Amino acid sequence: MSTSVMVIGAGPAGLQAASTLSHLGFDVTVVEQQQYLGGAVARHQYQVLMPDFSSGPELLRHLIERVNEDPHIKIYTGTSVEDVSESRDIFSITLSGAHAETIQSHAVVLATGFDHFNPARDGKYGYGIFPDVITGAELEEMFAKGPIRRPSNGEVPQSVAFIYCVGSRDRQVGNTYCSRVCCAVSAKQSIELREQLPKARISMFYMDVRTYGLWEDSLYWRSQEEAGVVYVKGRIAEVTEQHGRPVLKGEDTLVRGPFEWPFDLIVLAAGMEPSRGTHDMAKKFQVSLESHGFIKQAHTIHNASLTDHPGVFVAGAASGPKAIEDSIAEGDVASLAVFDYLKAKVTL
Amino acid sequence: MSEEAVMTHLRLDPDNVGEQDAESLLEAIKGDVRYEEVIHGCLNCGVCSGSCPSHRFFDYSPRIVVQTVLSGDAQAVKDMMDEYIWACAQCYTCAMRCPFHNSPGGLVMIMREVAVWRGMEAVHRLLKPYGRVLLKVLSIGNQLTPDMIQPDFFPDWGPKIPWSSTDLAIKRKAIPVYTLQVTTSAWRVSPQTSYELYTIYEETGVFRLIEQIDPNLYEVVSDMVEDLRDTIESSR
Ligand SMILES: Cc1cc2nc3c(=O)[nH]c(=O)nc-3n(C[C@H](O)[C@H](O)[C@H](O)COP(=O)(O)OP(=O)(O)OC[C@H]3O[C@@H](n4cnc5c(N)ncnc54)[C@H](O)[C@@H]3O)c2cc1C
Ligand code: SF4
Ligand code: SF4
Ligand code: SF4
């Protein structure tokens, strides 16, 4: 009997895991609830990727072609996990949707990713009330569809503000962690915006700028030096509206004190939360969550992909906020951990 | 509970009335039972100030209050208690928004109570307009009574107030609760209640505090206390 592994979730982490697992000699079934592959990158049509400004569609093409052309990988889109039972280290997984069947798997990789924090949950941002207040993900979709315009009236924005840490680092909304990528993604977006809007005022309202490691100069410094983006240290207290324009209220904690500042377009750097699918799968496969609700890494330092349930592995944003590069790397880490786990049990 | 524990909980240590050494003021603030609830740390993010109506109109920032207390600079904290913190409107919007779940407004309240208790200079000045309220609190335990609602005292209360403040006795009678039909207090207060209040004020050092902050008011109050005590004690 061949050795089969199920990968749940076909974002960057899951697609990478599927391909690597196949290279290692396993038969792989990829289960994806959506009709498309590529996770958040496909959902929001990221065109230009942080940190290296490479092409999002090209990355997707690469990840997807590899799994499509691989005879050892079965792709089940539009499919969900209904029921799981386990007997002598073999998972019996009943699927529903487009491929309603029951599959035996020797190991499972959870790559179920994240959901964006919905800013409507925090009333102070006026999201869903003022049309010119959008999320970073919606800005990515705008970049994909055409030139940047104000949703309220279709005009070219003369001023754009980014609000950092929306739904992250905030006890009031229950998320006390940092989402890790939104500072750098916002800096990337501001540089892209500058190309379209040579004269616009672009301001970033931050509490800390966390473009850690190699992203410091390539994104944070570059956005100032090349794109003339202005950084204001002060977390936004509230968004109101005056004369049809959103107005930011806050304290410039370093220089100017209180402000009420109108902008044509407001971009909320909304953070990452464990996806609903991540929670569902954690329950069905009986793995623990860590205190913020992501899948708990049993040995964070030792190996990023181990859960506290033997035979169940995790990769990507399902175990915490992270960038695409880390999610893809973890797809490989999980594949090797699966190999390690199974090689003692079965002959490949 | 030991007597000492009661004192600590109320933070009313009569021996400390008038003590204004900066370090001891900061100690009193940080030693308050509420302190750990109102300050957990601070991200220096400015959400409190950005939300604060006083920050918008005065040289006042709740973030700076929090940061100054956390800095441990006792002299700076003392300076702040003189004027700065009195711009807070106690609306607690800051507490609703602070991502760390701090309550800068709650911290200000603790600082004000310490300032009052220690009889700081600012308090003499800032509490002057509250003389009428203080007198009511001290004499009958009410703070606001119908006869205090007069347009002279509330010039900013809009056009309806003059009407509300006329024919008080008749309007009060329309309220179908017996105790509310007085106009000089919020409800009827028996002399025995005032008598007990005075004993509490004396035991806890409140009278000593008033003597320190507002000697004129204290004189009025002592006469009142003496009269009432004579009446009650002679009728026993
Ligand atoms: C606005 C924004 C812009 C970003 N831009 C960048 C960038 O430029 N560069 C960068 O490095 N990172 C970026 N990121 C981060 C990047 O999106 C993530 O690192 C990456 O998507 C994580 O990949 P993943 O495969 O772990 O999860 P996801 O991309 O979330 O994929 C998870 C997949 O699992 C599926 N799934 C979930 N539950 C189930 C279930 N129960 N059954 C079946 N399928 C399920 C989902 O439908 C989804 O397809 C950005 C993030 C945001 C918020
Ligand atoms: S990455 Fe930046 S914007 Fe995102 S939560 Fe962390 S500090 Fe806030
Ligand atoms: S309670 Fe005081 S500090 Fe807090 S927002 Fe209101 S006025 Fe400002
Ligand atoms: S909102 Fe809270 S964390 Fe932010 S500056 Fe004010 S007290 Fe500090």
Side-chain angles (χ1 to χ4, degrees):
Chain A
M1 174 188 148
S2 69
T3 308
S4 63
V5 180
M6 182 177 286
V7 174
I8 302 174
L15 292 173
Q16 179 70 17
S19 174
T20 304
L21 283 164
S22 163
H23 290 173
L24 292 171
F26 300 108
D27 284 326
V28 183
T29 307
V30 177
V31 172
E32 167 59 56
Q33 62 191 6
Q34 303 291 345
Q35 298 299 338
Y36 53 82
L37 303 177
V41 180
R43 181 161 60 245
H44 304 294
Q45 306 164 58
Y46 302 166
Q47 298 299 298
V48 173
L49 299 179
M50 181 282 294
D52 60 357
F53 292 79
S54 60
S55 157
E58 232 162 72
L59 172 75
L60 283 185
R61 223 171 4 255
H62 162 73
L63 289 171
I64 293 170
E65 262 171 24
R66 272 195 328 187
V67 297
N68 276 340
E69 287 165 3
D70 190 324
H72 297 288
I73 300 176
K74 277 190 289 186
I75 306 278
Y76 287 3
T77 50
T79 303
S80 303
V81 171
E82 203 53 41
D83 199 41
V84 180
S85 62
E86 191 181 354
S87 156
R88 274 177 288 134
D89 290 349
I90 295 182
F91 297 94
S92 182
I93 303 166
T94 307
L95 303 176
S96 64
H99 298 266
E101 52 191 81
T102 298
I103 291 187
Q104 314 288 319
S105 290
H106 295 86
V108 174
V109 176
L110 302 179
T112 43
F114 71 100
D115 284 339
H116 284 100
F117 173 79
N118 175 6
R121 257 169 57 201
D122 189 346
K124 68 175 179 283
Y125 297 115
Y127 178 76
I129 301 170
F130 309 131
D132 294 323
V133 178
I134 65 170
T135 64
E138 286 163 346
L139 182 65
E140 291 292 339
E141 291 166 25
M142 274 192 189
F143 279 131
K145 286 187 190 122
I148 302 299
R149 296 287 182 265
R150 298 181 64 195
S152 63
N153 59 10
E155 284 173 9
V156 179
Q158 303 302 321
S159 54
V160 183
F162 285 77
I163 303 183
Y164 283 37
C165 298
V166 171
S168 307
R169 307 178 69 193
D170 189 345
R171 277 207 174 105
Q172 302 281 357
V173 298
N175 294 339
T176 49
Y177 55 87
C178 163
S179 291
R180 291 182 90 211
V181 301
C182 11
C183 277
V185 168
S186 299
K188 180 218 70 159
Q189 290 174 330
S190 74
I191 294 167
E192 280 181 276
L193 268 181
R194 175 57 77 215
E195 283 168 20
Q196 284 198 34
L197 310 170
K199 292 223 170 73
R201 181 157 48 81
I202 304 179
S203 309
M204 318 298 254
F205 293 89
Y206 70 97
M207 174 160 84
D208 301 288
V209 178
R210 294 187 164 169
T211 43
Y212 51 89
L214 308 184
W215 303 347
E216 172 72 10
D217 54 351
S218 62
L219 291 161
Y220 180 26
W221 294 13
R222 182 175 161 197
S223 67
Q224 298 189 50
E225 283 175 331
E226 285 178 26
V229 170
V230 173
Y231 284 76
V232 181
K233 184 164 164 60
R235 204 165 166 167
I236 294 305
E238 150 180 286
V239 180
T240 57
E241 195 183 42
Q242 241 177 13
H243 312 302
R245 293 168 84 201
V247 175
L248 300 190
K249 211 173 139 200
E251 181 195 17
D252 178 341
T253 59
L254 295 181
V255 189
R256 300 196 307 178
F259 62 78
E260 273 167 47
W261 207 342
F263 283 87
D264 286 346
L265 185 66
I266 309 275
V267 182
L268 305 177
M272 293 164 128
E273 290 186 322
S275 70
R276 177 204 277 262
T278 292
H279 280 172
D280 287 353
M281 291 305 105
K283 212 183 224 164
K284 290 206 161 108
F285 286 94
Q286 295 174 17
V287 300
S288 306
L289 302 176
E290 51 81 64
S291 65
H292 309 93
F294 291 93
I295 289 177
K296 184 176 175 170
Q297 296 168 317
H299 300 283
T300 316
I301 294 176
H302 181 69
N303 183 306
S305 71
L306 302 180
T307 70
D308 58 3
H309 188 151
V312 183
F313 301 82
V314 63
S319 64
K322 55 185 65 96
I324 296 169
E325 57 190 72
D326 300 322
S327 302
I328 289 180
E330 284 188 5
D332 284 341
V333 171
S335 303
L336 280 175
V338 168
F339 181 81
D340 226 27
Y341 168 75
L342 289 179
K343 75 168 188 232
K345 296 201 161 112
V346 290
T347 14
L348 296 173
Chain B
M1 218 189 298
S2 72
E3 192 181 343
E4 198 191 340
V6 176
M7 288 303 192
T8 318
H9 174 67
L10 295 170
R11 288 179 318 97
L12 300 180
D13 184 350
D15 292 341
N16 276 338
V17 171
E19 168 64 83
Q20 291 182 15
D21 167 63
E23 292 290 347
S24 96
L25 292 173
L26 184 56
E27 223 168 85
I29 293 165
K30 292 197 161 174
D32 190 281
V33 283
R34 294 162 295 181
Y35 182 80
E36 292 200 354
E37 240 169 74
V38 297
I39 298 299
H40 305 105
C42 175
L43 304 168
N44 228 333
C45 69
V47 161
C48 52
S49 307
S51 309
C52 172
S54 300
H55 179 61
R56 181 73 178 74
F57 297 103
F58 298 97
D59 173 21
Y60 169 75
S61 155
R63 178 182 61 82
I64 290 176
V65 176
V66 172
Q67 285 291 324
T68 307
V69 170
L70 287 177
S71 79
D73 183 340
Q75 189 54 48
V77 172
K78 183 179 176 182
D79 292 347
M80 206 162 236
M81 288 160 83
D82 186 48
E83 175 121 21
Y84 198 82
I85 58 165
W86 299 88
C88 167
Q90 287 289 297
C91 70
Y92 288 89
T93 314
C94 51
M96 271 174 52
R97 299 238 172 104
C98 168
F100 223 119
H101 262 191
N102 292 333
S103 173
L107 175 63
V108 165
M109 180 48 92
I110 296 173
M111 293 168 79
R112 286 180 179 182
E113 287 179 20
V114 171
V116 170
W117 191 250
R118 298 298 179 84
M120 288 181 73
E121 171 56 31
V123 175
H124 300 238
R125 194 170 66 242
L126 289 154
L127 291 187
K128 261 271 163 330
Y130 296 92
R132 286 192 328 143
V133 177
L134 260 178
L135 185 59
K136 287 281 185 192
V137 172
L138 288 170
S139 55
I140 53 173
N142 294 174
Q143 44 177 316
L144 201 60
T145 59
D147 64 348
M148 288 164 76
I149 306 174
Q150 294 299 324
D152 297 354
F153 294 104
F154 302 101
D156 55 345
W157 269 18
K160 294 275 185 217
I161 293 302
W163 181 86
S164 317
S165 59
T166 57
D167 301 323
L168 280 177
I170 293 173
K171 284 178 183 143
R172 294 288 279 180
K173 280 206 175 104
I175 299 173
V177 181
Y178 172 73
T179 50
L180 293 183
Q181 288 159 12
V182 284
T183 58
T184 54
S185 62
W187 56 84
R188 274 190 210 288
V189 180
S190 77
Q192 185 60 35
T193 302
S194 288
Y195 183 85
E196 284 169 16
L197 263 182
Y198 299 159
T199 310
I200 293 169
Y201 291 148
E202 198 160 64
E203 292 289 318
T204 54
V206 168
F207 281 152
R208 278 183 50 208
L209 182 62
I210 300 297
E211 188 178 9
Q212 165 118 4
I213 294 174
D214 193 339
N216 295 336
L217 178 68
Y218 179 69
E219 218 165 286
V220 176
V221 172
S222 351
D223 289 348
M224 195 177 69
V225 172
E226 222 164 284
D227 287 352
L228 185 96
R229 280 193 170 145
D230 285 349
T231 322
I232 296 251
E233 279 157 20
S234 63
S235 70
R236 272 182 185 156

